Structure formats: C-alpha cells, structure tokens
Amino acid sequence: MVALSEQAMQEELQKRVGRYVLGLRSGEEETIVGTIAQLRKIAAVASLREKLREMLSPTSHLLPLVTSNSLNVRRHVAKLISVLAVDAPRPIYAPLLDVYFSALDDITMSLGYILDAVAALCLNAECARSIYDRGGVQTLLQCAPSYPQQVLGVFQNLSQFAEEDTLDSAVPYLCEQLKAEEDSRVVAAASALGNLAGNSHLIRLAVRHGAVEGLVNLLQRESFDVVAFSLAALRNLCSRSARFNQTIMQSPGIISVLIRLLEEGARHGQSGSIVVVRSCEVITVLADSDEHRQLIAISGAIGPIMSTYSAAPTDASLSALATLAILSLQLESGQTLIDQGLVPRLIATMSSSSHSPTARAYAARALVNLLKLDSDFAITVSSQLVPKLAQLSHPRYGYMSDSIMALVVLYVKQDESTSQKFVDSGGVSNIVKGLRATSSRIVSSLLRALLSLAFVESAALAMVDAHLFEFAAFLFRNPTTKAPHRVDTAQLISLLLMHDVATLQLLRGHHWVRHFVIFLLHPDRSVRRYILAALQNMTRSSFGKKDVSRELDIVTLIAATAKNGDETSSEMAEAIIDRLNVRALLQKRLPRLMGSDPCPESFVEEETLSATFVPYILEELGDSVDANRVQLVSSDLFINASGSRNLNVEDYSLVVDGDFSKTFNIESPDSSPEALEIPVSDIPRLFEEDYVDSIHWNFIETLPTNDVRVLTVLPSLEADVPFKILVTDKKTAVEEVWEVDPSVRVGRRKELLPKVLEQLKSHFDTTEIYPVFNQELNTSMMELFREHPQGVQHLKLAIIYVRPDQHTAVELFGNDKASDQFWDFVSLMGQRVSIKDHTGYRGDVSAGFAYYDVWKGREVIYHVAPTMREEEHRRLIGNDIGIIFYLEVGALFDPEVMAGLGTVPQCAAIVQPHNNRYRLTFMNRTTLRAYPGLVPQGYLFGPQELKDRVLAKLQNGFVMAKQCPPMNRLFFLPRGEALKGLAEKYPHEKEADRRNREKNDQTTREREQ
C-alpha cells in the first residue's frame, strides 16, 4: 500500500468531508459511530487535525451528537473531542462544556467518557477559567469517589491554569491521592501538584497537607514512571518555592534517596535514564544556597553525579553536568570536584564535538565558577586550557561566549605568559571577529574580555593586528549600538592608545577623532569620560595631536568637561589643552570673538575670560550646561593649567631639494599624516573562516569591460547585524558592510536568495549577475587567493648607506664600510642569519648571510648594500621594488640616485639619525598612485616607531606597485584571466540543471565511499 503525503491526505480529506458530514447526520447509530471512528483516525495525525477542526463545527456538527440519546454515540464523540481539543488554538469547544457539566450533575449517567472529554478541553486556558468560574472544582470532587482516575486526569490539566485560590478545595484531595495504590492515579496526582509551581499560595497549602512527605515516599516505589513523575513534581515545586525547597532538605535521608536513584537508574540503562535525569534536576534545584551545596557534597552525592557525567553523552550526563555547574559555586563542594578530577573532564567536554552546545556551555560555566571561588584553585592544566579557550573564542561557538569570555577575564589575564599563550593561539583574533559576527546579546561579554586583555601589551598589539579598529568603528558609529557597548568601546580604544603608536595611526583611517568629538556631548557621562581619556591618550603623540587639533573645538571640550563635573574629567581636558595649540582651537570656533588678532594675550586673563569668553560659550550651548561650571572649567583650562600653550617647536622634517616631479614624487614635510594602514593580506583566512564556514551565497558578475568579479554575501537574519559582501575582482578583494532592505531578512533561505539578487543588481547597478550554487567555487576562490594574492607576505628591501657628498649609485655601492649607527639601524630592522641554515624566506639570496625579520606576520629580507659584491648589487638590489636609504648626519639625499638603480625600484624610504631618534620621508615614482603612510611635519621617530612606519609604508608601496604600471601587468592580467576562467567553469545554471548536477555529485561521492 502506497503511503500518501500530507498534502495528498489533506486533498483526500477535502473530497470526503461531505461524506463524513452526511454520515454524522444519518441518524443511524452504526453509521454515526463508524464515521466518528474514521474521523478519530484522521484527527490522530497532527497535520490534519487543524483541517478537521475547520470542517467540523462544534455547534452544528458535534453538539447534536453530544446530546444524542445513544450512549454509544455520546461516548465515541467524546473521544473524538478529546483528540480534537488537544492543541486547539482557540476555545472553539467551550460551548460543549455547558452540556458536559450539566451531565455531570446527573449521577445516574455513566460519566467516565464525559470526564475524559472535559480533561481534554481543560488544556485550553479559557476553557479552564470557565470551569473555575462555574464552580466546577466542587462538581469534579463530587465525581471523584466514583471516577477517581478520570477526575485526576481533569485536575492534571486544569492545574496548569490555577490562580490564587481556585484549587484550594482540590489540593487536599490531590495530596491524599499520593497514597493511592494504583500507579496511574499517583502519577496524575503528582503531575497535578507539580503544575502548581507558579502559585505560592497553593504550594503552601500543599505543604500543610503533606505533599512533601507524599512525594518523597513515592520515591520508594518500584515503578520508574511513578518515581519520574514524583521527581518532576519535586523539581517544579522546589524551583519556585524556597519554603518547599527548605522543607525537602529537612526530610530525613532525602539526599541518600536521590543518590540511590542515580545509581539504580544508571544500572537500568535507557529505562532508568529518565529517573537519573530527574534526580539530577532535583539536586540542582535543591542546591540553591552554599549551605545546601555543602550538605549535598557531605552526603556523598558528588561521586555518583560525576559517574553519570563521565558516561557517554546523553540527557543524563547533560543533567549531571548542569548539577556539577551549580555545585561548583560553593567552596567545599568545588574543592571536592577538583579533587575528583573534574577540571580535565570539563576541558575535554568544552573541546569535544560529540557533546551538545548546551553541554559545552555548562562545562565552561562550571570552570568559571571554580575560578571565581579562588584563582589559586588546583587548575594546573593551563597548557590544555589556554589553547582551548582561544579556539572556543571563535564566533562559531557563540552559544558559549558568556562563559568563555568569563574564563578569559578570570584566567587568561592573570600573568603575561598565559596571556601570550592565548594571543599566540589566536584567541584575541577570534574575539575581535565576534564583534561583527555575533548578535548584540553577547557583544558585552566580548568587550569585557577585550577590556581585561587590553592592559597586556602583547594582547593589545594582537587586537591591532586583528583589525579591531575596523570592527569597533562600525560598532561605535552604528546608531543601534547600545549605550553600554559604546561605553565599553570608548574605554577599550582609550586603553589601547596607551600601548603603541601604531594604534594612533590606525585610528585615523576610521575618523575616530571626528566621532569622538561628536559623542563628547553624549547624554551618558561614562561615554563622555572615556572619550576624553581616548583623546588625552591620542595627544601623547605628534600623530595624535594633529588629528585632535583638526577635529576638536574648544567649546565642545569645555561643554563636555562641565557636563561631567568631576575632577578627573577636568584633569584630562587640561592635559589635552596642554598638548595642543590653544590659539588654533580658539580661532577655529570663535573667530567672531577673537577679531583680527589670532590670539590676544589678554584673552586668557581672568577678567577677559569672565567678560567675553564664558558668555560666548553659554550663548553657544544654551541651557545645556551650568554657567558656574563653565566659568570654573574655563578658568582651570586657561589660567591654572601648567605648560606652554605654543607648539612653535623646531621642525625636524627631512627635506629633499630639487625638482624631480617628472620622475618622482617626494612627500612634502608638511603633509597631514594619514593612517598607517596595512593592506589586507589575510583574505584567504577571512574567506574560509567567516564565509565558507557560514551560510553564504556566491554570485558572478560580468562587468561592461568584460572583466569578471565574484560577490560573496554573508547574510544575517538579525536586525542589528549587517550583511557583508566580499567583492573580488582582478585588482583586489574588499569586504564591505551592506545595509539591506529589512524585507531581505524575512523568510526561509530559498525565499531570501531572489531578494538578495535583486538588491545586488540595484546596489551595483548591473543586470549581468547570477548566483552560483556549486560549492566547489569556494575551493576555486581559495586557490585564486593563494595563487594571485593582493597583499604582501614577503618583502625584499634594499638598505643603502649614504655618506655626505655622495650623489650617484656608483658612489653609494662603493661603501664597503659604514658607521656604528648604521649597523644599529640595520639590527633594528632585522637579525643577521646564515642562509645555509635559514629555513624562512630568502629573497633570492643564495649564499652567505642576510638580515631577516618577521614583521606583523610578514617575512622581510634585507639586501644590505655594504655587505654585497658588485654582481649582487645589480642582481638583487636592482630588482628590489622597495629601497631604504640611510643618510649619515650631514648627508643630503639626491633623488637622481633612485633613477640610477634602474626601472624596477618603485618606492623608497629616506632615513637620517638625529640624537638617538630619526628623521624620515618617503619618495616614489610618479607612476604610483598615492598610498597611505605620510609623515607628519616636525616629528622625530623612536626606533620602533620608525621600523613600523617604514615597513608599513613600503609594504603599501609594494601593493600599489602591483596595481600601477609597469608592474600591474604581472598581477592584473593573470588574476583577471583566472576570474574569467571561474565564470566559464561555473556558468549560470537553470534549476533543473542544478538538481541534476547535485544528484550526479551525490552519486559520485557515494561511489567513492
């Protein structure tokens, strides 16, 4: 017999509905009963039940049968109603209650089938309230002596909707039934009492009538069903009533009974599993205080619970783990858990894919609890724990984020070595990813973890390398970001700015100062204070001073400080003023007040300040700040603050004279410094971890130029998480934030794809685009990223020594000796290695030694001119795209030297020492477009600052050289052809073709297996 699909069954039901209605109205008892029997079979199928409810009217079709003279008909229709009412969304059968309750008053009738129908109707809240309103509880109690099982069934469902005193008269009866011999009656009574958990009045009444003793005594029964229902009732009542919980704990030997049930249930395998689960749940709710947790530990319950947890992953082991997580909150029980070897097992659970997400989250929470008890607890497994925490910090484990981040806060930050191991294992990078890959509900825990790690320098630098600022910029600018998240973000940035000047340079790429200034007047005082702290830290560096001076105005600064009204804010604002050019700040915002004089000296005198400046600020701000606070803050900033107000310091810029504009661009020393950006070079990892490992769509687009690009969309159904697009073309691969229409987020995945396609066509203004369903494109994209990388993982750089009065390449290559300062500089940039023993990048050096370094994950080899022969000058340095010219003190740089090196060198850094610091500028061929990393005016670089600036700038030059003639043909052409090859390999498929291909692929895989 062929089984019909649900749709076919519904169509068949529609065809036969007329026949069924005629059968119900036939008047012949046998026909009616037969029809009802068929309808009961149909109603047993959940998907058809709702359809049947729509076809059968309670009043026109069922009510006549309920009042039929035939007892047989009444019994059968009551059974049908019992099935139809099980999950009815509305009280559609409420009219039948009147008929049934009238029948209950007639003691001469057989009432069992009526009570069964009433029990089903009680599953609806409105029907249950109707019974309470009509005083139906008393009627039911009158029926109880004759029909105890059926009445208990009604109470079992009715108790789910019990209000304050609706079941007062029934509670004593239910407690009495706990002593019944029949298992079915005991189960119904226990279940009804368990449903009272939400009503404290009825729970107190149940305690007075012996519910505790009755339920505990049931635990001695042999039937696992009775024991399981009794445990469920105890769990429900204990979880909602502290009094019930305390009464249970006072019952003699209750923990011993639960231990026995754990052991007996484990011996009975699957049949006893539910008893083990319920026993663990009861112990969990009983352990609601340190006192109870200690009593449970003393009673010997931890051993059996540990044994249950250590078994194969089941519901029982999960419940045992939840119990252990609660017991780990108390000192004595926690120490017992550690002594019995819980910690390694928890770590194994956290990192095992065989355990459910819930189990892994419980394991992480248990570890958190143990650490909170005492950071010196016997957790001597850091070699295992730290790498696991780093791995589990990835966004794919978002369900564990709260616990994992709590572990990071408590454990990883304890010492430098632990933090370093966490960083080396990729933990910081994974946390940063979570800021954009997870919903806002766990962003708080991620930010707290980053805040705890920001004090550790290695972790702070890892955040910078993981592009934290890109993610945080979106989080901070997003108008839907919650205030606490914005506060934590501002605090995190202010902490990172204390570590490394590279952070200052990265900030400007996202206009951080501009956004900080905007939010200086944020309603939240904490936001204002952390933004002031960030601005203060930024002004510690010459890079930061220029940005802050450009964006900040004096009125906003004073207003924010006055609004905060605390000494700390005033001190931070005073430090900012001390480091900036006050005259420039005043002139920018107050030109009308200042007049023709850029900054009259009398302006910062007390009388002038009170008479002109303060009233002007109050006029600008209105009533938003207190006048007295403005006067006080202004006085502190301009009268009492120490330090010079003038930034007219000596200019240490390295200037190159001469007109070489036809061949080279030489950076002007007064250029505004740009972000020290490092081009994206980890696209393969980004694509694999963020896109391939998640639900995503690939699209291929043909441009009007006949070039091809691939669009990979990472969707999100959560309103506060934007879509992402990875746009891959022949030049680059760039990830963009894509704000889509809200309708795109609604529906199943198959329904979303056409919407996304239409949005893409509109967003990129194209029609030549189609989706690629073949998942092998992901592998092809990974191969493209590896074979045609847009970033730079290896750098070959020449270092050339320049003495005073040297102007040609021949003169420079004749320097076979150099000063000690030059070799200090070379040692700063890299370490001397023997090529024979060297296993890293060699940069075409075949023998001897070279200078080598790994900088931010990139291998750098230096061709140091004074160490090389004439042939190596031509073969190696002549083919280096990037050059570093080191000028001795007193030497002037002649750009003609660059032209003498040939056509391959494209960009150069010119370095000159000055009192243990360095002057710096850059130059490049005019064929290169501008790229980030300009040098600020009048700034001397420290050693590490110089190294980072030089390598970042030259790497940017490498990337730009690959995009500009003449070097671009070596990159664009092969990468462009590879993309066209993808379009040929993955053409636009029709739906039928796609299904056939997937079917063939499945067949091939099955054969291979």
Side-chain angles (χ1 to χ4, degrees):
M1 183 176 181
V2 179
L4 296 177
S5 65
E6 290 187 5
Q7 182 178 357
M9 294 173 70
Q10 290 187 15
E11 293 174 354
E12 187 68 20
L13 177 62
Q14 188 72 37
K15 292 177 183 177
R16 296 187 180 185
V17 64
R19 188 188 310 170
Y20 291 143
V21 171
L22 289 176
L24 294 177
R25 294 176 175 176
S26 66
E28 299 179 3
E29 178 179 334
E30 185 176 351
T31 302
I32 294 173
V33 170
T35 302
I36 293 175
Q38 293 182 47
L39 291 175
R40 282 177 60 196
K41 292 180 181 179
I42 295 172
V45 181
S47 59
L48 300 179
R49 194 154 49 239
E50 179 60 32
K51 197 72 176 176
L52 193 58
R53 281 196 286 258
E54 295 173 1
M55 295 176 179
L56 298 179
S57 167
T59 53
S60 60
H61 294 139
L62 299 180
L63 187 58
L65 303 178
V66 170
T67 57
S68 171
N69 293 327
S70 169
L71 176 61
N72 196 25
V73 170
R74 293 201 303 272
R75 283 177 174 170
H76 277 80
V77 77
K79 293 178 180 179
L80 174 61
I81 292 171
S82 299
V83 179
L84 290 174
V86 167
D87 53 1
R90 307 183 311 280
I92 56 177
Y93 301 110
L96 305 180
L97 274 176
D98 292 332
V99 178
Y100 281 136
F101 264 88
S102 297
L104 289 177
D105 293 331
D106 187 354
I107 60 175
T108 63
M109 296 181 62
S110 175
L111 304 180
Y113 69 91
I114 297 177
L115 289 168
D116 288 340
V118 170
L121 294 174
C122 287
L123 289 171
N124 183 274
E126 292 190 31
C127 290
R129 280 192 285 271
S130 175
I131 293 176
Y132 287 133
D133 293 342
R134 68 169 65 247
V137 172
Q138 293 300 325
T139 303
L140 292 169
L141 289 174
Q142 292 172 10
C143 300
S146 302
Y147 303 94
Q149 186 62 54
Q150 290 84 351
V151 169
L152 285 170
V154 176
F155 281 136
Q156 187 173 356
N157 295 339
L158 195 62
S159 59
Q160 298 178 58
F161 310 102
E163 297 178 359
E164 186 63 26
D165 55 357
T166 50
L167 280 178
D168 280 12
S169 56
V171 168
Y173 172 74
L174 294 174
C175 293
E176 185 64 28
Q177 291 302 305
L178 295 176
K179 303 174 183 177
E181 295 295 329
E182 297 89 340
D183 289 348
S184 57
R185 288 169 61 182
V186 169
V187 166
S191 180
L193 288 171
N195 289 337
L196 303 180
N199 191 310
S200 57
H201 166 75
L202 293 177
I203 290 177
R204 289 194 296 271
L205 190 62
V207 171
R208 285 201 299 270
H209 285 85
V212 173
E213 295 80 0
L215 290 171
V216 171
N217 289 336
L218 291 179
L219 301 181
Q220 307 295 335
R221 294 277 187 108
E222 293 183 0
S223 169
F224 276 171
D225 284 343
V226 172
V227 173
F229 274 94
S230 301
L231 289 169
L234 288 171
R235 175 202 61 199
N236 293 347
L237 295 170
C238 288
S239 64
R240 300 299 295 270
S241 170
R243 179 179 179 183
F244 198 94
N245 194 319
Q246 189 66 31
T247 306
I248 290 291
M249 285 299 293
Q250 293 172 355
S251 299
I254 181 61
I255 303 301
S256 300
V257 172
L258 295 172
I259 293 173
R260 176 181 59 80
L261 293 175
L262 281 173
E263 296 171 341
E264 288 183 359
R267 285 197 295 269
H268 285 79
Q270 187 63 33
S271 60
S273 175
I274 187 63
V275 172
V276 175
V277 171
R278 295 288 180 263
S279 298
C280 288
E281 290 173 347
V282 172
I283 294 175
T284 300
V285 296
L286 288 176
D288 64 339
S289 66
D290 282 349
E291 179 184 358
H292 287 181
R293 286 188 279 271
Q294 186 175 5
L295 288 174
I296 292 171
I298 294 173
S299 301
I302 288 180
I305 298 173
M306 287 276 287
S307 299
T308 303
Y309 162 52
S310 301
T314 59
D315 290 343
S317 64
L318 178 62
S319 297
L321 180 54
T323 305
L324 294 173
I326 293 297
L327 293 175
S328 63
L329 288 167
Q330 199 270 335
L331 189 60
E332 284 77 6
S333 56
Q335 185 62 62
T336 303
L337 292 173
I338 289 180
D339 293 343
Q340 295 196 17
L342 176 63
V343 171
R345 299 183 191 180
L346 292 176
I347 295 174
T349 298
M350 286 166 51
S351 53
S352 171
S353 58
S354 63
H355 288 274
S356 67
T358 305
R360 300 169 80 174
Y362 276 140
R365 177 51 53 187
L367 272 177
V368 171
N369 294 340
L370 293 174
L371 273 172
K372 283 183 177 179
L373 292 176
D374 186 349
S375 60
D376 294 329
F377 244 158
I379 300 182
T380 57
V381 287
S382 61
S383 59
Q384 302 175 45
L385 179 59
V386 174
K388 298 300 182 187
L389 291 181
Q391 174 192 354
L392 296 173
S393 297
H394 193 279
R396 70 169 64 96
Y397 302 105
Y399 54 85
M400 301 172 65
S401 286
D402 288 342
S403 299
I404 295 299
M405 293 307 106
L407 280 170
V408 170
V409 172
L410 288 167
Y411 184 50
V412 172
K413 70 171 186 178
Q414 285 186 359
D415 59 78
E416 183 73 25
S417 62
T418 304
S419 301
Q420 187 62 53
K421 185 177 294 185
F422 185 75
V423 171
D424 294 342
S425 302
V428 170
S429 175
N430 285 336
I431 295 175
V432 173
K433 286 181 183 178
L435 291 178
R436 68 171 180 177
T438 55
S439 62
S440 60
R441 65 183 179 83
I442 60 173
V443 168
S444 294
S445 60
L446 298 177
L447 286 171
R448 282 196 300 272
L450 292 175
L451 283 169
S452 70
L453 292 169
F455 293 96
V456 181
E457 184 172 5
S458 60
L461 294 178
M463 294 179 206
V464 175
D465 290 342
H467 308 294
L468 169 71
F469 295 107
E470 175 187 340
F471 307 146
F474 168 76
L475 190 67
F476 195 83
R477 294 196 299 257
N478 189 349
T480 63
T481 299
K482 296 180 180 179
H485 296 168
R486 190 172 285 116
V487 171
D488 289 344
T489 304
Q491 183 183 10
L492 178 60
I493 298 304
S494 68
L495 290 175
L496 293 183
L497 292 175
M498 299 174 62
H499 282 293
D500 193 276
V501 72
T503 58
L504 302 177
Q505 299 155 349
L506 280 171
L507 284 179
R508 287 188 292 280
H510 300 285
H511 310 291
W512 273 96
V513 179
R514 185 174 305 167
H515 291 288
F516 277 173
V517 171
I518 291 172
F519 282 96
L520 261 179
L521 298 179
H522 192 275
D524 192 313
R525 179 182 176 188
S526 296
V527 172
R528 297 196 300 267
R529 288 188 62 181
Y530 285 125
I531 289 176
L532 275 174
L535 291 173
Q536 179 191 4
N537 288 335
M538 288 194 75
T539 57
R540 293 187 305 118
S541 154
S542 175
F543 302 122
K545 287 177 185 177
K546 282 185 173 290
D547 269 7
V548 177
S549 296
R550 184 172 60 245
E551 302 293 346
L552 183 63
D553 67 82
I554 200 67
V555 174
T556 303
L557 179 62
I558 290 179
T561 309
K563 277 176 172 287
N564 285 0
D566 61 272
E567 185 176 346
T568 302
S569 296
S570 296
E571 291 175 354
M572 289 188 291
E574 187 175 312
I576 293 172
I577 289 291
D578 272 340
R579 294 168 183 166
L580 300 182
N581 190 328
V582 179
R583 290 168 173 77
L585 292 180
L586 294 171
Q587 182 67 26
K588 179 166 54 177
R589 183 62 185 263
L590 309 172
R592 175 167 64 83
L593 181 65
M594 302 286 289
S596 59
D597 189 343
C599 186
E601 293 299 328
S602 63
F603 188 76
V604 292
E605 295 176 359
E606 186 73 45
E607 293 181 2
T608 307
L609 194 69
S610 300
T612 58
F613 184 65
V614 173
Y616 184 88
I617 290 184
L618 291 174
E619 179 184 342
E620 289 273 305
L621 300 176
D623 298 330
S624 62
V625 293
D626 180 76
N628 293 329
R629 286 295 310 161
V630 170
Q631 174 70 46
L632 181 61
V633 170
S634 301
S635 177
D636 285 344
L637 293 184
F638 295 122
I639 306 300
N640 300 329
S642 61
S644 171
R645 301 302 193 193
N646 197 340
L647 283 185
N648 294 325
V649 297
E650 181 182 353
D651 190 346
Y652 294 108
S653 300
L654 182 58
V655 180
V656 179
D657 294 326
D659 181 11
F660 305 94
S661 57
K662 293 183 179 179
T663 310
F664 301 107
N665 291 321
I666 300 175
E667 290 189 358
S668 174
D670 59 354
S671 299
S672 298
E674 294 181 356
L676 183 63
E677 294 180 354
I678 302 173
V680 176
S681 59
D682 57 353
I683 287 295
R685 182 168 58 87
L686 173 74
F687 180 75
E688 183 175 15
E689 295 184 0
D690 288 8
Y691 286 81
V692 177
D693 288 350
S694 306
I695 294 175
H696 68 284
W697 294 297
N698 289 317
F699 301 85
I700 289 182
E701 177 190 4
T702 302
L703 301 172
T705 59
N706 204 33
D707 289 321
V708 171
R709 65 180 176 186
V710 178
L711 310 175
T712 307
V713 177
L714 184 67
S716 170
L717 297 181
E718 300 185 36
D720 58 347
V721 180
F723 277 38
K724 298 280 188 179
I725 308 180
L726 185 65
V727 182
T728 305
D729 57 24
K730 69 178 184 180
K731 296 182 179 180
T732 183
V734 178
E735 187 180 45
E736 301 177 3
V737 175
W738 187 27
E739 296 296 340
V740 297
D741 187 274
S743 63
V744 175
R745 301 177 186 270
V746 180
R748 294 178 298 179
R749 188 184 177 197
K750 289 185 177 180
E751 299 171 346
L752 296 184
L753 182 58
K755 300 179 183 178
V756 170
L757 182 59
E758 289 305 313
Q759 290 263 316
L760 280 175
K761 291 179 179 179
S762 174
H763 184 70
F764 290 102
D765 192 21
T766 182
T767 57
E768 299 299 321
I769 185 173
Y770 60 88
V772 178
F773 300 101
N774 194 333
Q775 295 302 304
E776 291 182 4
L777 176 58
N778 294 328
T779 303
S780 299
M781 289 294 291
M782 291 297 297
E783 293 175 357
L784 179 132
F785 291 139
R786 283 192 293 267
E787 294 176 5
H788 307 283
Q790 72 183 63
V792 176
Q793 289 300 318
H794 304 98
L795 287 172
K796 293 188 300 179
L797 299 175
I799 300 181
I800 299 178
Y801 180 62
V802 182
R803 296 181 186 273
D805 300 324
Q806 290 186 328
H807 304 286
T808 67
V810 174
E811 291 175 331
L812 301 188
F813 288 147
N815 295 324
D816 55 356
K817 295 182 180 180
S819 65
D820 291 342
Q821 290 87 346
F822 171 77
W823 294 115
D824 289 342
F825 169 75
V826 173
S827 298
L828 166 69
M829 302 305 291
Q831 298 78 43
R832 178 169 167 155
V833 296
S834 171
I835 293 299
K836 181 179 66 173
D837 302 324
H838 183 54
T839 58
Y841 177 59
R842 296 191 176 193
D844 299 328
V845 180
S846 56
F849 64 89
Y851 284 83
Y852 169 85
D853 191 39
V854 177
W855 176 79
K856 296 188 181 299
R858 295 151 179 85
E859 292 185 281
V860 185
I861 200 81
Y862 297 98
H863 299 150
V864 182
T867 67
M868 293 183 170
R869 301 184 301 274
E870 181 180 352
E871 180 273 332
E872 291 175 312
H873 291 156
R874 176 186 56 78
R875 178 173 59 85
L876 297 177
I877 295 180
N879 286 292
D880 286 336
I881 293 176
I883 310 291
I884 302 173
F885 291 100
Y886 179 91
L887 276 61
E888 272 293 356
V889 176
L892 296 177
F893 181 72
D894 186 348
E896 188 64 31
V897 171
M898 185 83 164
L901 297 179
T903 60
V904 174
Q906 300 290 311
C907 53
I910 300 100
V911 178
Q912 189 173 51
H914 182 88
N915 296 335
N916 298 321
R917 298 180 75 82
Y918 296 91
R919 291 187 171 108
L920 174 65
T921 194
F922 296 102
M923 63 180 291
N924 58 267
R925 293 189 180 272
T926 54
T927 53
L928 265 65
R929 297 191 300 273
Y931 51 95
L934 298 179
V935 177
Q937 180 181 12
Y939 187 74
L940 288 175
F941 288 83
Q944 188 60 45
E945 292 178 80
L946 178 82
K947 179 178 179 178
D948 288 340
R949 172 66 65 164
V950 167
L951 291 178
K953 178 71 173 183
L954 292 181
Q955 182 195 242
N956 292 353
F958 265 66
V959 174
M960 187 56 65
K962 292 169 69 173
Q963 301 179 21
C964 300
M967 312 296 292
N968 59 349
R969 67 180 183 273
L970 302 177
F971 176 71
F972 286 2
L973 292 180
R975 183 173 166 121
E977 290 302 316
L979 284 167
K980 291 179 182 178
L982 294 183
E984 295 174 0
K985 185 176 181 180
Y986 305 101
H988 191 188
E989 288 182 307
K990 295 181 180 179
E991 184 66 23
D993 294 336
R994 181 173 70 87
R995 286 198 296 267
N996 289 334
R997 177 181 54 76
E998 291 176 348
K999 183 177 180 180
N1000 292 335
D1001 290 346
Q1002 178 65 26
T1003 303
T1004 302
R1005 285 193 295 269
E1006 291 175 353
R1007 287 174 180 172
E1008 291 175 351
Q1009 292 174 356

